[in-house]
Amino acid sequence: PIVLGLSAFVLAACGGGDGGGGPEPTGKVNLSITDAPVDDASSVVVQFSGVAFKREAAMAEVVQDLTSSPRQLDLLQYQQGRAALLLDGVTLPAGRYEWIRLIVDNQPNVRDSYIVLTTGEECELRVPSGAESGLKLNRGFNLPADGSAALTIDFDLRKSIHAPPGQKGTTESCTQGYLMRPTLRVVDDADVGAIAGEVDSTL
């Protein structure tokens, strides 16, 4: 469900081996985003300028920098099983990862992250610390050597978008300020299944 929020990443894993003694083993990562419907908005656009991965026992994160070509996604376009591929086959060191951080652009008076209401008004969407600390997902994942992982980050916009009373918008056409405090989770594609069948007409 979405009140105004963010969507999802998917990681799927497959096996591999490490012979030792050579270059550090690596694996491939796909990262996707999905969302649920939200009330009173026709678009919720978020601009991603990077994704950071923190491996266990590593001192620093591995950052996939997208600033040269940031991804601007309307999260409301990716619902009901649809997802936007944010990273496609990125090579990372194999091992156990502790967290993922999504780095979001939301500069004042810049059309990077914004919301379009069903009444037509376009309003700036403020994401506190989105460009500094980013949106952190603490669920870890394993990236096998010579294998792959596929994750989907699922935003719950209905719980994520807020219109604080008394907070003004930054333009004349938008008198209300909007804030995103994302409620999101990481889903491992390997854990996702489907059910098929027929519903009895008497039910």
mmCIF file of all heavy atoms in Angstrom, residues 24-65:
data_model
loop_
_atom_site.group_PDB
_atom_site.id
_atom_site.type_symbol
_atom_site.label_atom_id
_atom_site.label_comp_id
_atom_site.label_asym_id
_atom_site.label_seq_id
_atom_site.Cartn_x
_atom_site.Cartn_y
_atom_site.Cartn_z
ATOM 1 N N GLU A 24 40.450 -10.858 -6.147
ATOM 2 C CA GLU A 24 39.320 -10.997 -5.236
ATOM 3 C C GLU A 24 38.078 -11.398 -6.022
ATOM 4 O O GLU A 24 37.766 -10.807 -7.056
ATOM 5 C CB GLU A 24 39.062 -9.667 -4.515
ATOM 6 C CG GLU A 24 37.936 -9.737 -3.505
ATOM 7 C CD GLU A 24 37.751 -8.419 -2.765
ATOM 8 O OE1 GLU A 24 37.985 -7.371 -3.382
ATOM 9 O OE2 GLU A 24 37.388 -8.450 -1.590
ATOM 10 N N PRO A 25 37.351 -12.434 -5.565
ATOM 11 C CA PRO A 25 36.151 -12.872 -6.290
ATOM 12 C C PRO A 25 35.078 -11.791 -6.297
ATOM 13 O O PRO A 25 34.967 -10.992 -5.372
ATOM 14 C CB PRO A 25 35.694 -14.107 -5.506
ATOM 15 C CG PRO A 25 36.298 -13.962 -4.157
ATOM 16 C CD PRO A 25 37.597 -13.242 -4.354
ATOM 17 N N THR A 26 34.289 -11.782 -7.340
ATOM 18 C CA THR A 26 33.230 -10.794 -7.483
ATOM 19 C C THR A 26 31.931 -11.478 -7.875
ATOM 20 O O THR A 26 31.902 -12.663 -8.204
ATOM 21 C CB THR A 26 33.586 -9.752 -8.560
ATOM 22 O OG1 THR A 26 33.740 -10.413 -9.826
ATOM 23 C CG2 THR A 26 34.878 -9.010 -8.209
ATOM 24 N N GLY A 27 30.847 -10.724 -7.830
ATOM 25 C CA GLY A 27 29.545 -11.188 -8.291
ATOM 26 C C GLY A 27 28.807 -10.028 -8.928
ATOM 27 O O GLY A 27 29.271 -8.884 -8.896
ATOM 28 N N LYS A 28 27.651 -10.309 -9.511
ATOM 29 C CA LYS A 28 26.852 -9.302 -10.198
ATOM 30 C C LYS A 28 25.600 -8.982 -9.388
ATOM 31 O O LYS A 28 24.963 -9.873 -8.815
ATOM 32 C CB LYS A 28 26.424 -9.802 -11.581
ATOM 33 C CG LYS A 28 27.577 -10.153 -12.507
ATOM 34 C CD LYS A 28 28.242 -8.913 -13.058
ATOM 35 C CE LYS A 28 29.261 -9.283 -14.127
ATOM 36 N NZ LYS A 28 29.934 -8.082 -14.687
ATOM 37 N N VAL A 29 25.242 -7.686 -9.336
ATOM 38 C CA VAL A 29 24.065 -7.248 -8.592
ATOM 39 C C VAL A 29 23.110 -6.506 -9.521
ATOM 40 O O VAL A 29 23.524 -5.630 -10.272
ATOM 41 C CB VAL A 29 24.461 -6.328 -7.422
ATOM 42 C CG1 VAL A 29 23.217 -5.714 -6.779
ATOM 43 C CG2 VAL A 29 25.253 -7.087 -6.374
ATOM 44 N N ASN A 30 21.827 -6.870 -9.449
ATOM 45 C CA ASN A 30 20.747 -6.102 -10.073
ATOM 46 C C ASN A 30 19.931 -5.468 -8.957
ATOM 47 O O ASN A 30 19.622 -6.124 -7.958
ATOM 48 C CB ASN A 30 19.827 -6.991 -10.908
ATOM 49 C CG ASN A 30 20.492 -7.486 -12.174
ATOM 50 O OD1 ASN A 30 21.563 -7.013 -12.543
ATOM 51 N ND2 ASN A 30 19.878 -8.446 -12.831
ATOM 52 N N LEU A 31 19.571 -4.208 -9.131
ATOM 53 C CA LEU A 31 18.778 -3.522 -8.115
ATOM 54 C C LEU A 31 17.574 -2.869 -8.778
ATOM 55 O O LEU A 31 17.715 -2.114 -9.733
ATOM 56 C CB LEU A 31 19.639 -2.471 -7.418
ATOM 57 C CG LEU A 31 18.979 -1.759 -6.253
ATOM 58 C CD1 LEU A 31 18.569 -2.740 -5.166
ATOM 59 C CD2 LEU A 31 19.916 -0.721 -5.660
ATOM 60 N N SER A 32 16.389 -3.144 -8.268
ATOM 61 C CA SER A 32 15.154 -2.623 -8.850
ATOM 62 C C SER A 32 14.363 -1.886 -7.781
ATOM 63 O O SER A 32 14.589 -2.048 -6.587
ATOM 64 C CB SER A 32 14.312 -3.750 -9.438
ATOM 65 O OG SER A 32 15.037 -4.462 -10.415
ATOM 66 N N ILE A 33 13.394 -1.088 -8.247
ATOM 67 C CA ILE A 33 12.542 -0.319 -7.335
ATOM 68 C C ILE A 33 11.089 -0.519 -7.724
ATOM 69 O O ILE A 33 10.747 -0.552 -8.905
ATOM 70 C CB ILE A 33 12.899 1.173 -7.378
ATOM 71 C CG1 ILE A 33 14.307 1.386 -6.816
ATOM 72 C CG2 ILE A 33 11.884 2.011 -6.600
ATOM 73 C CD1 ILE A 33 14.749 2.816 -6.788
ATOM 74 N N THR A 34 10.222 -0.638 -6.705
ATOM 75 C CA THR A 34 8.795 -0.791 -6.951
ATOM 76 C C THR A 34 8.035 0.024 -5.918
ATOM 77 O O THR A 34 8.605 0.530 -4.963
ATOM 78 C CB THR A 34 8.381 -2.270 -6.901
ATOM 79 O OG1 THR A 34 7.023 -2.401 -7.308
ATOM 80 C CG2 THR A 34 8.528 -2.824 -5.511
ATOM 81 N N ASP A 35 6.715 0.120 -6.118
ATOM 82 C CA ASP A 35 5.924 0.974 -5.248
ATOM 83 C C ASP A 35 4.491 0.470 -5.168
ATOM 84 O O ASP A 35 4.084 -0.396 -5.928
ATOM 85 C CB ASP A 35 5.960 2.406 -5.785
ATOM 86 C CG ASP A 35 5.471 3.406 -4.763
ATOM 87 O OD1 ASP A 35 5.331 3.036 -3.601
ATOM 88 O OD2 ASP A 35 5.222 4.555 -5.140
ATOM 89 N N ALA A 36 3.735 1.100 -4.239
ATOM 90 C CA ALA A 36 2.312 0.821 -4.099
ATOM 91 C C ALA A 36 1.551 2.121 -4.352
ATOM 92 O O ALA A 36 2.136 3.183 -4.313
ATOM 93 C CB ALA A 36 2.031 0.291 -2.697
ATOM 94 N N PRO A 37 0.231 2.029 -4.574
ATOM 95 C CA PRO A 37 -0.532 3.242 -4.894
ATOM 96 C C PRO A 37 -0.499 4.247 -3.752
ATOM 97 O O PRO A 37 -0.262 3.906 -2.607
ATOM 98 C CB PRO A 37 -1.953 2.715 -5.111
ATOM 99 C CG PRO A 37 -1.804 1.256 -5.299
ATOM 100 C CD PRO A 37 -0.573 0.842 -4.586
ATOM 101 N N VAL A 38 -0.806 5.514 -4.063
ATOM 102 C CA VAL A 38 -0.844 6.558 -3.053
ATOM 103 C C VAL A 38 -2.039 7.453 -3.305
ATOM 104 O O VAL A 38 -2.492 7.594 -4.435
ATOM 105 C CB VAL A 38 0.460 7.386 -3.085
ATOM 106 C CG1 VAL A 38 0.560 8.104 -4.393
ATOM 107 C CG2 VAL A 38 0.525 8.331 -1.925
ATOM 108 N N ASP A 39 -2.561 8.018 -2.245
ATOM 109 C CA ASP A 39 -3.743 8.868 -2.363
ATOM 110 C C ASP A 39 -3.343 10.295 -2.744
ATOM 111 O O ASP A 39 -2.293 10.785 -2.339
ATOM 112 C CB ASP A 39 -4.500 8.906 -1.025
ATOM 113 C CG ASP A 39 -4.946 7.523 -0.588
ATOM 114 O OD1 ASP A 39 -5.265 6.704 -1.468
ATOM 115 O OD2 ASP A 39 -4.945 7.256 0.623
ATOM 116 N N ASP A 40 -4.205 10.963 -3.498
ATOM 117 C CA ASP A 40 -4.090 12.404 -3.770
ATOM 118 C C ASP A 40 -2.880 12.793 -4.604
ATOM 119 O O ASP A 40 -2.522 13.973 -4.652
ATOM 120 C CB ASP A 40 -4.080 13.208 -2.459
ATOM 121 C CG ASP A 40 -5.308 12.911 -1.600
ATOM 122 O OD1 ASP A 40 -6.382 12.689 -2.191
ATOM 123 O OD2 ASP A 40 -5.182 12.892 -0.366
ATOM 124 N N ALA A 41 -2.206 11.852 -5.249
ATOM 125 C CA ALA A 41 -1.059 12.193 -6.086
ATOM 126 C C ALA A 41 -1.120 11.407 -7.384
ATOM 127 O O ALA A 41 -1.488 10.237 -7.404
ATOM 128 C CB ALA A 41 0.243 11.906 -5.362
ATOM 129 N N SER A 42 -0.747 12.063 -8.495
ATOM 130 C CA SER A 42 -0.685 11.384 -9.780
ATOM 131 C C SER A 42 0.743 10.991 -10.133
ATOM 132 O O SER A 42 0.959 10.107 -10.955
ATOM 133 C CB SER A 42 -1.265 12.276 -10.881
ATOM 134 O OG SER A 42 -0.557 13.497 -10.957
ATOM 135 N N SER A 43 1.737 11.652 -9.503
ATOM 136 C CA SER A 43 3.148 11.316 -9.707
ATOM 137 C C SER A 43 3.917 11.574 -8.418
ATOM 138 O O SER A 43 3.652 12.554 -7.727
ATOM 139 C CB SER A 43 3.778 12.156 -10.829
ATOM 140 O OG SER A 43 3.200 11.885 -12.076
ATOM 141 N N VAL A 44 4.849 10.695 -8.119
ATOM 142 C CA VAL A 44 5.812 10.916 -7.039
ATOM 143 C C VAL A 44 7.177 10.616 -7.652
ATOM 144 O O VAL A 44 7.551 9.468 -7.846
ATOM 145 C CB VAL A 44 5.553 10.011 -5.827
ATOM 146 C CG1 VAL A 44 6.634 10.235 -4.765
ATOM 147 C CG2 VAL A 44 4.177 10.277 -5.235
ATOM 148 N N VAL A 45 7.897 11.675 -7.995
ATOM 149 C CA VAL A 45 9.153 11.553 -8.723
ATOM 150 C C VAL A 45 10.324 11.691 -7.749
ATOM 151 O O VAL A 45 10.384 12.651 -6.974
ATOM 152 C CB VAL A 45 9.252 12.621 -9.825
ATOM 153 C CG1 VAL A 45 10.619 12.555 -10.512
ATOM 154 C CG2 VAL A 45 8.126 12.433 -10.839
ATOM 155 N N VAL A 46 11.231 10.730 -7.797
ATOM 156 C CA VAL A 46 12.422 10.753 -6.954
ATOM 157 C C VAL A 46 13.636 10.585 -7.865
ATOM 158 O O VAL A 46 13.639 9.723 -8.749
ATOM 159 C CB VAL A 46 12.398 9.630 -5.896
ATOM 160 C CG1 VAL A 46 13.689 9.618 -5.080
ATOM 161 C CG2 VAL A 46 11.202 9.812 -4.960
ATOM 162 N N GLN A 47 14.652 11.432 -7.648
ATOM 163 C CA GLN A 47 15.869 11.358 -8.460
ATOM 164 C C GLN A 47 16.988 10.712 -7.654
ATOM 165 O O GLN A 47 17.381 11.209 -6.610
ATOM 166 C CB GLN A 47 16.281 12.757 -8.917
ATOM 167 C CG GLN A 47 17.512 12.748 -9.828
ATOM 168 C CD GLN A 47 17.705 14.063 -10.533
ATOM 169 O OE1 GLN A 47 16.842 14.497 -11.296
ATOM 170 N NE2 GLN A 47 18.831 14.717 -10.282
ATOM 171 N N PHE A 48 17.511 9.590 -8.172
ATOM 172 C CA PHE A 48 18.578 8.838 -7.514
ATOM 173 C C PHE A 48 19.913 9.178 -8.167
ATOM 174 O O PHE A 48 20.065 9.077 -9.384
ATOM 175 C CB PHE A 48 18.319 7.330 -7.623
ATOM 176 C CG PHE A 48 17.031 6.887 -6.992
ATOM 177 C CD1 PHE A 48 15.868 6.805 -7.749
ATOM 178 C CD2 PHE A 48 16.971 6.573 -5.647
ATOM 179 C CE1 PHE A 48 14.674 6.396 -7.173
ATOM 180 C CE2 PHE A 48 15.782 6.166 -5.060
ATOM 181 C CZ PHE A 48 14.628 6.082 -5.821
ATOM 182 N N SER A 49 20.896 9.569 -7.331
ATOM 183 C CA SER A 49 22.216 9.924 -7.861
ATOM 184 C C SER A 49 23.299 8.936 -7.444
ATOM 185 O O SER A 49 24.473 9.123 -7.773
ATOM 186 C CB SER A 49 22.619 11.330 -7.404
ATOM 187 O OG SER A 49 22.651 11.411 -5.997
ATOM 188 N N GLY A 50 22.919 7.868 -6.734
ATOM 189 C CA GLY A 50 23.912 6.870 -6.358
ATOM 190 C C GLY A 50 23.327 5.801 -5.457
ATOM 191 O O GLY A 50 22.242 5.959 -4.892
ATOM 192 N N VAL A 51 24.047 4.684 -5.360
ATOM 193 C CA VAL A 51 23.693 3.588 -4.454
ATOM 194 C C VAL A 51 24.985 3.137 -3.781
ATOM 195 O O VAL A 51 26.000 2.913 -4.448
ATOM 196 C CB VAL A 51 23.060 2.393 -5.203
ATOM 197 C CG1 VAL A 51 22.677 1.304 -4.211
ATOM 198 C CG2 VAL A 51 21.852 2.833 -6.025
ATOM 199 N N ALA A 52 24.942 3.031 -2.444
ATOM 200 C CA ALA A 52 26.123 2.611 -1.680
ATOM 201 C C ALA A 52 25.864 1.251 -1.040
ATOM 202 O O ALA A 52 24.773 0.988 -0.533
ATOM 203 C CB ALA A 52 26.462 3.636 -0.603
ATOM 204 N N PHE A 53 26.878 0.378 -1.068
ATOM 205 C CA PHE A 53 26.800 -0.958 -0.494
ATOM 206 C C PHE A 53 27.887 -1.094 0.576
ATOM 207 O O PHE A 53 29.042 -0.747 0.340
ATOM 208 C CB PHE A 53 27.026 -2.034 -1.558
ATOM 209 C CG PHE A 53 26.015 -2.040 -2.666
ATOM 210 C CD1 PHE A 53 26.181 -1.227 -3.778
ATOM 211 C CD2 PHE A 53 24.898 -2.854 -2.602
ATOM 212 C CE1 PHE A 53 25.256 -1.230 -4.809
ATOM 213 C CE2 PHE A 53 23.965 -2.863 -3.626
ATOM 214 C CZ PHE A 53 24.138 -2.046 -4.736
ATOM 215 N N LYS A 54 27.532 -1.622 1.740
ATOM 216 C CA LYS A 54 28.509 -1.805 2.829
ATOM 217 C C LYS A 54 28.708 -3.288 3.075
ATOM 218 O O LYS A 54 27.801 -4.002 3.496
ATOM 219 C CB LYS A 54 28.010 -1.137 4.115
ATOM 220 C CG LYS A 54 28.868 -1.402 5.348
ATOM 221 C CD LYS A 54 30.287 -0.890 5.189
ATOM 222 C CE LYS A 54 31.038 -0.963 6.524
ATOM 223 N NZ LYS A 54 31.188 -2.341 7.013
ATOM 224 N N ARG A 55 29.934 -3.763 2.774
ATOM 225 C CA ARG A 55 30.261 -5.170 2.975
ATOM 226 C C ARG A 55 30.753 -5.394 4.392
ATOM 227 O O ARG A 55 31.412 -4.534 4.986
ATOM 228 C CB ARG A 55 31.322 -5.614 1.968
ATOM 229 C CG ARG A 55 31.500 -7.127 1.883
ATOM 230 C CD ARG A 55 32.314 -7.527 0.670
ATOM 231 N NE ARG A 55 33.628 -6.922 0.642
ATOM 232 C CZ ARG A 55 34.729 -7.555 0.241
ATOM 233 N NH1 ARG A 55 34.648 -8.811 -0.165
ATOM 234 N NH2 ARG A 55 35.871 -6.943 0.225
ATOM 235 N N GLU A 56 30.444 -6.559 4.971
ATOM 236 C CA GLU A 56 30.921 -6.894 6.316
ATOM 237 C C GLU A 56 32.446 -6.863 6.370
ATOM 238 O O GLU A 56 33.115 -7.332 5.444
ATOM 239 C CB GLU A 56 30.421 -8.284 6.733
ATOM 240 C CG GLU A 56 28.976 -8.309 7.169
ATOM 241 C CD GLU A 56 28.566 -9.661 7.722
ATOM 242 O OE1 GLU A 56 29.389 -10.603 7.657
ATOM 243 O OE2 GLU A 56 27.426 -9.778 8.203
ATOM 244 N N ALA A 57 32.981 -6.297 7.451
ATOM 245 C CA ALA A 57 34.424 -6.224 7.720
ATOM 246 C C ALA A 57 35.144 -5.230 6.822
ATOM 247 O O ALA A 57 36.356 -5.040 6.965
ATOM 248 C CB ALA A 57 35.090 -7.590 7.608
ATOM 249 N N ALA A 58 34.447 -4.579 5.906
ATOM 250 C CA ALA A 58 35.088 -3.570 5.056
ATOM 251 C C ALA A 58 35.003 -2.214 5.743
ATOM 252 O O ALA A 58 34.009 -1.887 6.394
ATOM 253 C CB ALA A 58 34.412 -3.506 3.692
ATOM 254 N N MET A 59 36.057 -1.410 5.608
ATOM 255 C CA MET A 59 36.084 -0.103 6.246
ATOM 256 C C MET A 59 35.196 0.907 5.525
ATOM 257 O O MET A 59 34.601 1.778 6.147
ATOM 258 C CB MET A 59 37.524 0.425 6.294
ATOM 259 C CG MET A 59 38.451 -0.399 7.159
ATOM 260 S SD MET A 59 37.943 -0.382 8.899
ATOM 261 C CE MET A 59 38.231 1.345 9.308
ATOM 262 N N ALA A 60 35.115 0.805 4.219
ATOM 263 C CA ALA A 60 34.384 1.802 3.439
ATOM 264 C C ALA A 60 33.302 1.141 2.597
ATOM 265 O O ALA A 60 33.345 -0.056 2.307
ATOM 266 C CB ALA A 60 35.345 2.567 2.533
ATOM 267 N N GLU A 61 32.307 1.934 2.217
ATOM 268 C CA GLU A 61 31.262 1.466 1.323
ATOM 269 C C GLU A 61 31.769 1.417 -0.127
ATOM 270 O O GLU A 61 32.736 2.092 -0.478
ATOM 271 C CB GLU A 61 30.058 2.413 1.378
ATOM 272 C CG GLU A 61 29.371 2.475 2.717
ATOM 273 C CD GLU A 61 28.315 3.561 2.740
ATOM 274 O OE1 GLU A 61 28.595 4.667 2.221
ATOM 275 O OE2 GLU A 61 27.230 3.315 3.274
ATOM 276 N N VAL A 62 31.084 0.623 -0.916
ATOM 277 C CA VAL A 62 31.292 0.629 -2.358
ATOM 278 C C VAL A 62 30.144 1.445 -2.949
ATOM 279 O O VAL A 62 28.973 1.105 -2.747
ATOM 280 C CB VAL A 62 31.289 -0.794 -2.951
ATOM 281 C CG1 VAL A 62 31.485 -0.740 -4.463
ATOM 282 C CG2 VAL A 62 32.361 -1.644 -2.302
ATOM 283 N N VAL A 63 30.468 2.539 -3.641
ATOM 284 C CA VAL A 63 29.438 3.457 -4.128
ATOM 285 C C VAL A 63 29.344 3.382 -5.643
ATOM 286 O O VAL A 63 30.355 3.526 -6.350
ATOM 287 C CB VAL A 63 29.732 4.906 -3.689
ATOM 288 C CG1 VAL A 63 28.658 5.848 -4.231
ATOM 289 C CG2 VAL A 63 29.812 5.008 -2.176
ATOM 290 N N GLN A 64 28.137 3.148 -6.133
ATOM 291 C CA GLN A 64 27.846 3.230 -7.562
ATOM 292 C C GLN A 64 27.322 4.641 -7.831
ATOM 293 O O GLN A 64 26.202 4.982 -7.472
ATOM 294 C CB GLN A 64 26.816 2.173 -7.958
ATOM 295 C CG GLN A 64 27.303 0.748 -7.778
ATOM 296 C CD GLN A 64 28.497 0.434 -8.661
ATOM 297 O OE1 GLN A 64 28.488 0.718 -9.854
ATOM 298 N NE2 GLN A 64 29.530 -0.142 -8.074
ATOM 299 N N ASP A 65 28.159 5.473 -8.430
ATOM 300 C CA ASP A 65 27.855 6.890 -8.628
ATOM 301 C C ASP A 65 27.045 7.079 -9.909
ATOM 302 O O ASP A 65 27.477 6.695 -10.995
ATOM 303 C CB ASP A 65 29.163 7.673 -8.695
ATOM 304 C CG ASP A 65 28.934 9.176 -8.687
ATOM 305 O OD1 ASP A 65 27.766 9.596 -8.658
ATOM 306 O OD2 ASP A 65 29.929 9.919 -8.709
#
